[in-house]
Amino acid sequence: MSDTGIPEPEGETDIIDTDYEIGQDNITTSIGPFGLDIHNPVFLISGLAVVAFVLVTLAFQNQAEAVFNGMRDWLTSTFDWFFLLAGNVFVLLGIYLIFSPYGKIRLGGADAKPDYTYTGWFAMLFAAGMGIGLMFYGVSEPISHYTSSIAENAGTPESWAPLGGAPGDTAKAQSLAMSATIFHWALHPWAIYAIVALALALFSYNKGLPLAMRSVFYPIFGERVWGWTGHVIDVLAVLATLFGLATSLGIGAEQANAGLNHIFGLPVSEVSKVVLIVFITGIALTSVVAGMDAGVQRLSKINMALAALLLLFVIAVGPTLAILGGIFTNFVDYARYLPELANPFGRSDKNFLDGWTSFYWAWWISWSPFVGMFIARVSRGRTVREFITCVLVIPSVVSIVWMTVFGDTAIREIIVNNYEALAQAPLDLKLFIMLEALPLATITSVIGIVLVIVFFVTSSDSGSIVIDTITAGGKVDAPVPQRVFWASFEGLVAIALLLGGGLTALQAMAVSTGFPFTFVLLLACFAIIKGLRSEPR
């Protein structure tokens, strides 16, 4: 184990020969009883930028909403083709690495052993990668696509239907709705995460470089990655991570607030959402102090158990046979529509492409430094083939099952039982309205709220660990107060965005930080291949 907390490579590997020492540019000091070990200037630039953003957004809330609206709409409509094209590149590279000779390379060296069991590893992968989003969109997105696909205006420029929809055809509309939903939650987002995680793990555990985004680009920029070239890359990674996380935390707060109002009558207001974020961030701080094994891993396992319990309950009391058959049907339909949904050019479903897919791809990319580094932290000892297969395929299968169970059940309630309240409910309330149609609605709704909160906590504490690693120059054992700082500011950014424009503002910042980082990730694909070529197999 090195003095930075990163294990030394075990067995034969290709260590990069550089004079740079991890932490050599760090400022080590203390403020009162709190020790600090921060990278200069990444911590300072990132920290000041975040503080300034929070202050300006809170000071100009009315003007901020219009700015955020315009920013999101321009980026998603102008660069929709670019986001889709980049997503396709990540999927194809991931599939290639599974079947290529590079798959035999072990992360951490030929003799490295995995740090976590499969159970702990899968739990942390899933909790970090999808959590809150699955709870928020698991019911709301399939219903949104279904209602727009079956509407009379489906296929017109005003429609939000995927691939032109299917006016009046319930079976095809349902098929399109589920295929479009699965498209947003299966292969493509996990390919983005897998590529970033593989790059970080390879250049840290095998090449002996700091666990930071700048290290990935050593084969391209050489020693310049320790200067301003690397500083810019790491600052972009910090800001993308922070705003991507804030989007999820804000969405989680909106859904938890809506659920608490629906079940217990708690008021829905900006004040209550702020109180929720402060309260849950406080829980996250406790987990941050506890550390990776005692905090994040334990909460992730609890989350996985609760999510599995809710999933099995809906299968058991819902239309069981239809759900089980739907898993296979939806997988086939997803594969059938995948080429059309992934096509970046000549699309007629502009609203769907810009408002749904472009936003999602930018959101996943903005999340990728966070999820990628977190996955890299817990994946040492896996082979490239095992790593890519597990990160790409297994979570995609789980996402298909989750979306089928909740999405098909919700759509069936609308088609068979004419459940109009579900079709017309706000996005953040649709999950709870659907659960009302099933037995034990209050209990399952409470479980749903608990899941949102625990996903919130796991995202916040694992995100703060990742941001702290980047801003500590690649050190993974930096002082705890730094993690507390970042966890606190994740909550503050989420509050600022909610007050400065709500869900639109959250989406706008995810898109605007995801866009420049897409260029970084495309360049990282080239660096991965160069890095793998030099590894002994």
Side-chain angles (χ1 to χ4, degrees):
M1 180 75 72
S2 72
D3 59 1
T4 64
I6 299 173
E8 299 286 354
E10 299 177 39
E12 190 178 3
T13 187
D14 177 50
I15 297 177
I16 289 176
D17 184 20
T18 175
D19 293 332
Y20 183 83
E21 293 183 10
I22 297 176
Q24 72 175 35
D25 296 325
N26 284 20
I27 298 173
T28 304
T29 184
S30 59
I31 300 177
F34 304 115
L36 294 177
D37 190 353
I38 57 178
H39 187 277
N40 180 38
V42 174
F43 184 96
L44 296 176
I45 294 174
S46 304
L48 290 173
V50 171
V51 171
F53 172 83
V54 170
L55 292 176
V56 170
T57 304
L58 291 178
F60 301 99
Q61 291 178 31
N62 295 331
Q63 296 89 335
E65 185 170 2
V67 171
F68 289 136
N69 263 320
M71 189 188 310
R72 184 197 62 177
D73 293 344
W74 182 76
L75 281 170
T76 54
S77 62
T78 306
F79 297 102
D80 48 11
W81 62 272
F82 176 64
F83 286 124
L84 259 73
L85 201 59
N88 294 339
V89 169
F90 303 137
V91 171
L92 293 174
L93 178 58
I95 294 172
Y96 165 72
L97 291 175
I98 290 174
F99 296 102
S100 75
Y102 300 133
K104 297 178 181 179
I105 295 169
R106 189 171 294 276
L107 300 174
D111 301 329
K113 299 291 186 293
D115 295 330
Y116 298 95
T117 64
Y118 274 114
T119 303
W121 189 40
F122 289 155
M124 288 190 284
L125 290 183
F126 202 72
M130 288 297 174
I132 292 172
L134 286 179
M135 297 300 298
F136 190 90
Y137 289 106
V139 173
S140 62
E141 185 174 351
I143 290 178
S144 297
H145 295 329
Y146 172 76
T147 53
S148 62
S149 293
I150 203 168
E152 291 182 1
N153 74 333
T156 65
E158 294 75 29
S159 171
W160 284 74
L163 303 179
D169 186 339
T170 56
K172 186 177 180 182
Q174 182 172 1
S175 174
L176 277 172
M178 293 310 304
S179 299
T181 301
I182 291 168
F183 172 61
H184 291 149
W185 293 88
L187 282 178
H188 282 76
W190 287 101
I192 295 167
Y193 300 156
I195 294 305
V196 176
L198 175 63
L200 288 164
L202 174 68
F203 285 95
S204 180
Y205 299 140
N206 292 60
K207 308 295 186 183
L209 299 181
L211 189 64
M213 281 303 302
R214 68 174 68 208
S215 299
V216 174
F217 300 93
Y218 191 93
I220 299 171
F221 298 114
E223 292 293 318
R224 282 177 293 170
V225 298
W226 313 128
W228 275 102
T229 300
H231 298 339
V232 171
I233 291 170
D234 278 353
V235 168
L236 275 175
V238 170
L239 296 180
T241 301
L242 196 70
F243 288 112
L245 268 171
T247 302
S248 294
L249 302 187
I251 286 172
E254 290 205 338
Q255 188 173 29
N257 194 191
L260 290 169
N261 169 263
H262 185 66
I263 300 167
F264 303 112
L266 269 65
V268 174
S269 66
E270 290 182 341
V271 173
S272 57
K273 291 172 188 174
V274 169
V275 170
L276 265 174
I277 292 176
V278 171
F279 171 71
I280 302 172
T281 300
I283 301 174
L285 291 176
T286 305
S287 180
V288 164
V289 173
M292 181 76 78
D293 293 337
V296 179
Q297 184 180 196
R298 185 177 300 161
L299 280 173
S300 297
K301 287 182 176 179
I302 292 170
N303 238 8
M304 192 168 72
L306 281 175
L309 183 65
L310 185 60
L311 186 79
L312 292 173
F313 174 81
V314 174
I315 293 174
V317 303
T320 307
L321 293 178
I323 290 173
L324 296 177
I327 293 172
F328 176 76
T329 302
N330 289 339
F331 177 80
V332 172
D333 287 341
Y334 163 59
R336 177 159 60 99
Y337 287 117
L338 181 58
E340 291 179 79
L341 290 166
N343 172 32
F345 305 112
R347 297 280 291 268
S348 59
D349 51 348
K350 190 71 172 169
N351 282 341
F352 169 79
L353 179 61
D354 297 347
W356 285 98
T357 305
S358 292
F359 159 67
Y360 269 131
W361 269 220
W363 188 17
W364 303 145
I365 289 167
S366 70
W367 257 60
S368 64
F370 150 52
V371 182
M373 186 172 290
F374 184 76
I375 292 174
R377 285 282 301 271
V378 300
S379 300
R380 183 179 171 275
R382 309 289 177 183
T383 65
V384 170
R385 181 170 295 118
E386 177 188 19
F387 174 86
I388 295 289
T389 301
C390 291
V391 175
L392 189 61
V393 176
I394 293 176
S396 294
V397 171
V398 175
S399 295
I400 291 171
V401 172
W402 183 278
M403 290 301 183
T404 297
V405 171
F406 286 89
D408 272 353
T409 301
I411 293 173
R412 185 180 175 83
E413 285 295 329
I414 295 172
I415 295 173
V416 176
N417 299 324
N418 197 27
Y419 195 6
E420 282 301 312
L422 178 56
Q424 296 172 6
L427 291 180
D428 52 13
L429 203 54
K430 285 188 186 293
L431 171 65
F432 305 107
I433 299 296
M434 187 208 77
L435 291 174
E436 274 193 349
L438 305 175
L440 305 176
T442 302
I443 295 174
T444 54
S445 294
V446 169
I447 291 175
I449 294 172
V450 171
L451 269 170
V452 170
I453 291 173
V454 181
F455 273 131
F456 189 132
V457 172
T458 54
S459 296
S460 179
D461 58 12
S462 51
S464 61
I465 289 171
V466 166
I467 294 174
D468 182 45
T469 300
I470 300 173
T471 56
K475 290 189 175 183
V476 298
D477 58 352
V480 172
Q482 294 171 206
R483 299 178 189 174
V484 171
F485 169 83
W486 289 115
S488 302
F489 266 87
E490 287 160 15
L492 284 173
V493 170
I495 289 170
L497 288 170
L498 277 176
L499 296 178
L503 188 57
T504 299
L506 294 164
Q507 293 175 343
M509 290 312 299
V511 171
S512 52
T513 51
F515 174 66
F517 206 72
T518 307
F519 293 95
V520 174
L521 296 195
L522 288 171
L523 201 57
C525 293
F526 176 68
I528 288 173
I529 297 299
K530 288 199 70 171
L532 289 173
R533 278 180 179 172
S534 62
E535 282 293 302
R537 295 192 290 278

